[in-house]
Amino acid sequence: NFAGKEGVREQLGILFATGPYWQALRQAWQALFHPDSLRQYTGFINRSAERLVEALQPASRSGKPVEIWRMMGQLTTEVVGSAAFGLELNALGEGAPAI
């Protein structure tokens, strides 16, 4: 409940935005998620997905359980690091640093 807390909703961004503020945020972000914009990131996404498959193969062969939420977080870190910042973070796999 945000009653009596002016400005709090705006600080929380698009997740809790409503009305004209939400519309302005959506318009600002919409272009980034258009298929034409996303197409330029497919190379980064594909390379990171291939690294995820490689990181999962030892567990697949041995039947060892994996922390999939951790690995999906690592995948997200790799994709964002590459696409947004041009960095190769090597965030996937057992020896990857905790991020």
Side-chain angles (χ1 to χ4, degrees):
N1 183 353
F2 297 107
K5 298 177 183 169
E6 299 304 318
V8 170
R9 186 183 307 253
E10 286 78 10
Q11 292 174 13
L12 297 174
I14 200 165
L15 185 60
F16 293 100
T18 60
Y21 179 65
W22 173 81
Q23 289 175 327
L25 284 175
R26 183 162 187 254
Q27 274 186 321
W29 284 93
Q30 189 170 2
L32 293 173
F33 294 99
H34 188 277
D36 291 338
S37 294
L38 292 176
R39 217 170 269 119
Q40 66 184 330
Y41 301 117
T42 56
F44 300 121
I45 295 167
N46 288 341
R47 278 192 295 281
S48 294
E50 288 168 2
R51 284 198 283 271
L52 175 63
V53 169
E54 289 172 14
L56 287 170
Q57 284 182 355
S60 174
R61 287 198 254 336
S62 69
K64 178 183 172 189
V66 297
E67 293 181 44
I68 197 66
W69 286 109
R70 179 175 184 263
M71 295 192 85
M72 294 309 292
Q74 292 171 333
L75 174 67
T76 302
T77 299
E78 282 226 349
V79 170
V80 171
S82 297
F85 303 108
L87 301 172
E88 290 291 328
L89 298 176
N90 298 316
L92 281 161
E94 279 296 315
I99 297 176

